[in-house]
Amino acid sequence: MSHIPEELSYTKTHEWVRTNGGEVLVGITDFAQEQLGDLTFVELPEVGDVLDAGFEMGSVESVKAASELYSPVSGEVVAVNELLESEPGLVNEDPYGDGWMVRIKMSTEPEGLLSADDYQALTEA
Amino acid sequence: MPDLKTTPLTQWHRAQDAKMAPFAGWDMPIQYSSILSEHTHTRSQASVFDICHMGEFLISGTKARETLSQVVTHNLTTLAPGRCRYGFLLNPQGGIIDDLIVYCLADDEFLLVVNGARTEVDFAWIQDHLGAQASIADISEETAKIDLQGPQSFEVLNQALNADFTHLKYFGFTRHEFAGAPLLVSRTGYTGELGVELYLGPDNALALWDLLLADERVKPAGLGARDTLRLEMGLPLYGQDLDENHTPAEAGYEALLTSEADYIGKGKDRDVREKLVSVKTPGRMSPRHGDVIRYSGQDVGVITSGSFAPSLGCGIGLGYVRADKAEHNDPYSIDKKRSLLPLDQVPLPFYTQGTARMKLQSS
């Protein structure tokens, strides 16, 4: 059973979102890191990049495969977790903490995010 | 998936909650804990791998050596009992039907070990082309295979079986006993580390597996780690780096073609239209199977195997490139979505610290 914190929001593409005022912190879920296995490379957007909700913002690679990261909200990237460049395994070890990926300043209210219960239902489907 | 075949160890893997996936028609373990940790453990200590999906054939008869020499590329005239050799089964165009190891069990008896996914194709082909003075039997069902690989594998094996196998040279094998039944111990493998491939009857496979794992230096490793380990050595995987459209010379094995027998595909096996190149990336982003290889604005080839290399900390890959674009010092590249991934051509093996050929006895 993967860990799905109650207080976070989620996307169908397995990103988690922690809202704090007008900003959100984003990473990938425990379920996603478990499915991917050991991450070996994380490609993130750059600070200052403007993102559209639902569009690709980067990618993650595991030993066996690569998959895309999608921005859960629209806005501007204000910080990225630079530690992941040399230590992508942090995402496996602590997906909701040290393995965070980007901080985004929202330009509009988020839409269509899932609650923890809805996300759990998705992972069990 | 009702049609997947199971090995004598499948239940054990499932009980360990291993990540399972279909491979070559078999229900096989991909990883138990993590590919990276299983990879590192194999390079530093010792791991066991369930390799029961491989196929095994027995060729016997007074003319076994002569007639088998007409079918495989292996130079059998110089293969003595107790030794085995790597080579190919070719179609008349020189394309690779399979890569396989031939064991000389006796002057008139040979064991062939083939890829699981190719067992039926290979058997039919060899049966059709083998002369009347030899017979072939498919003993895959009666044969289990466990690989024990890693620098500590011989210490583990000697202790577990209360015997001394250090006399075995690389690509040498010996017959032993386990639980009162035959056990073939072969100093070969697919990881680049010191190790053995163990062949025995399926009834005793679980007992041997448990015995080896009782040694605290040993952990199980799945096909995920097996793939990164073999790729770091530049060892090809059939179906990706080897296929019926490529010759041994294209795959880089021309030096192996020393047999003087008139085997199927002889002559054509030296044709070269493309070359398998080995490439390395400057960072962690890795080439992937199917990525198009580019050189000075042109598409010149395709990655056949690509992965992050855990022992090297960068991406590595093998890929076929047009022969006229295969020999130069300039980097290739792959167009990734958001960036250009440069590929430097490097010699094999990618990983040079492997212990496979390590000397075990001073002589």
Side-chain angles (χ1 to χ4, degrees):
Chain A
M1 264 307 285
S2 64
H3 179 46
I4 303 175
E6 199 51 45
E7 72 278 13
L8 303 181
S9 305
Y10 299 88
T11 66
K12 286 179 184 162
T13 46
H14 307 287
E15 288 86 11
W16 57 260
V17 180
R18 185 189 299 274
T19 310
N20 186 1
E23 291 186 352
V24 293
L25 202 62
V26 178
I28 64 167
T29 65
D30 188 35
F31 176 81
Q33 70 78 20
E34 234 175 58
Q35 293 290 311
L36 291 164
D38 298 312
L39 291 197
T40 55
F41 177 71
V42 179
E43 183 191 27
L44 298 176
E46 287 177 19
V47 171
D49 283 359
V50 175
L51 306 174
D52 289 322
F55 283 80
E56 285 178 26
M57 63 168 181
S59 63
V60 291
E61 293 188 3
S62 63
V63 179
K64 296 314 299 165
S67 38
E68 305 302 332
L69 291 172
Y70 298 91
S71 180
V73 297
S74 297
E76 184 184 330
V77 177
V78 290
V80 300
N81 186 352
E82 284 167 6
L83 268 184
L84 300 183
E85 199 179 313
S86 55
E87 292 180 69
L90 288 175
V91 177
N92 297 107
E93 286 161 27
D94 191 7
Y96 300 110
D98 290 344
W100 70 277
M101 292 180 172
V102 292
R103 195 145 54 86
I104 303 168
K105 188 178 173 188
M106 290 185 285
S107 55
T108 56
E109 284 298 301
E111 276 175 39
L113 297 180
L114 305 176
S115 68
D117 284 350
D118 291 346
Y119 181 67
Q120 176 154 358
L122 182 84
T123 63
E124 287 164 1
Chain B
M1 273 168 260
D3 296 323
L4 286 183
K5 288 184 262 190
T6 58
T7 81
L9 304 171
T10 303
Q11 281 189 338
W12 189 94
H13 306 317
R14 291 207 168 273
Q16 298 292 309
D17 212 17
K19 200 177 269 185
M20 306 290 286
F23 181 82
W26 295 73
D27 185 23
M28 299 300 286
I30 300 305
Q31 66 177 62
Y32 300 88
S33 53
S34 96
I35 294 177
L36 289 186
S37 62
E38 289 162 29
H39 178 108
T40 307
H41 189 81
T42 311
R43 289 258 181 266
S44 59
Q45 300 195 54
S47 302
V48 279
F49 299 77
D50 177 1
I51 309 297
C52 292
H53 61 287
M54 300 285 276
E56 293 86 10
F57 308 145
L58 213 51
I59 310 269
S60 51
T62 49
K63 297 277 181 188
R65 191 182 292 263
E66 289 79 356
T67 182
L68 183 58
S69 292
Q70 307 291 311
V71 185
V72 297
T73 65
H74 305 60
N75 186 348
L76 299 180
T77 54
T78 55
L79 190 65
R83 300 286 303 163
C84 58
R85 194 164 279 170
Y86 177 73
F88 306 96
L89 190 63
L90 303 178
N91 62 30
Q93 294 75 43
I96 300 171
I97 295 173
D98 203 0
D99 62 331
L100 67 158
I101 293 185
V102 174
Y103 289 79
C104 182
L105 299 178
D107 279 324
D108 55 359
E109 194 179 27
F110 296 85
L111 172 69
L112 275 53
V113 180
V114 304
N115 283 296
R118 303 298 285 171
T119 307
E120 285 167 27
V121 171
D122 292 355
F123 185 80
W125 180 266
I126 298 169
Q127 197 174 37
D128 282 355
H129 294 89
L130 201 63
Q133 302 99 325
S135 62
I136 176 170
D138 184 349
I139 56 163
S140 306
E141 295 270 319
E142 304 99 84
T143 311
K145 178 172 184 284
I146 294 170
D147 289 8
L148 172 66
Q149 304 272 301
Q152 293 174 347
S153 54
F154 270 70
E155 288 166 35
V156 168
L157 187 70
N158 288 346
Q159 210 172 310
L161 298 181
N162 195 21
D164 185 4
F165 294 98
T166 52
H167 63 280
L168 276 180
K169 295 208 169 65
Y170 195 43
F171 275 79
F173 68 91
T174 184
R175 298 210 231 192
H176 198 77
E177 257 195 15
F178 176 70
L183 170 74
L184 192 148
V185 179
S186 168
R187 187 176 163 187
T188 45
Y190 200 42
T191 63
E193 297 303 331
L194 179 66
V196 288
E197 299 185 281
L198 302 167
Y199 301 87
L200 73 168
D203 292 349
N204 293 322
L206 184 59
L208 180 60
W209 181 263
D210 280 337
L211 177 66
L212 295 171
L213 278 167
D215 190 311
E216 60 180 19
R217 292 168 288 191
V218 182
K219 288 184 180 173
L223 294 184
R226 182 171 159 89
D227 194 48
T228 52
L229 289 159
R230 69 93 191 167
L231 186 56
E232 282 188 344
M233 301 312 295
L235 298 171
L237 172 64
Y238 194 85
Q240 289 185 194
D241 315 305
L242 306 175
D243 59 36
E244 293 216 42
N245 299 317
H246 290 98
T247 65
E250 289 180 307
Y253 286 97
E254 194 166 5
L256 227 67
L257 305 173
T258 63
S259 168
E260 288 181 7
D262 191 21
Y263 55 83
I264 299 167
K266 191 182 176 75
K268 294 276 191 192
D269 53 353
R270 292 172 190 273
D271 287 358
V272 173
R273 293 158 299 258
E274 294 188 315
K275 289 285 275 183
L276 194 65
V277 297
S278 40
V279 295
K280 186 172 163 175
T281 66
R284 291 177 151 265
M285 187 188 258
S286 305
R288 301 289 170 182
H289 176 78
D291 281 351
V292 173
I293 302 172
R294 295 179 53 83
Y295 177 70
S296 50
Q298 280 182 289
D299 293 353
V300 296
V302 178
I303 295 289
T304 50
S305 284
S307 171
F308 178 73
S311 311
L312 303 172
C314 65
I316 55 172
L318 299 174
Y320 279 106
V321 166
R322 270 166 44 188
D324 63 321
K325 301 291 182 196
E327 274 162 37
H328 57 75
N329 296 317
D330 302 322
Y332 300 106
S333 64
I334 294 171
D335 283 331
K336 292 282 188 179
K337 269 187 184 164
R338 280 164 296 273
S339 54
L340 191 77
L341 180 62
L343 304 173
D344 284 321
Q345 221 174 317
V346 292
L348 292 178
F350 297 106
Y351 177 72
T352 54
Q353 315 296 310
T355 53
R357 293 165 187 271
M358 178 177 167
K359 213 169 180 187
L360 294 178
Q361 274 186 343
S362 47
S363 57

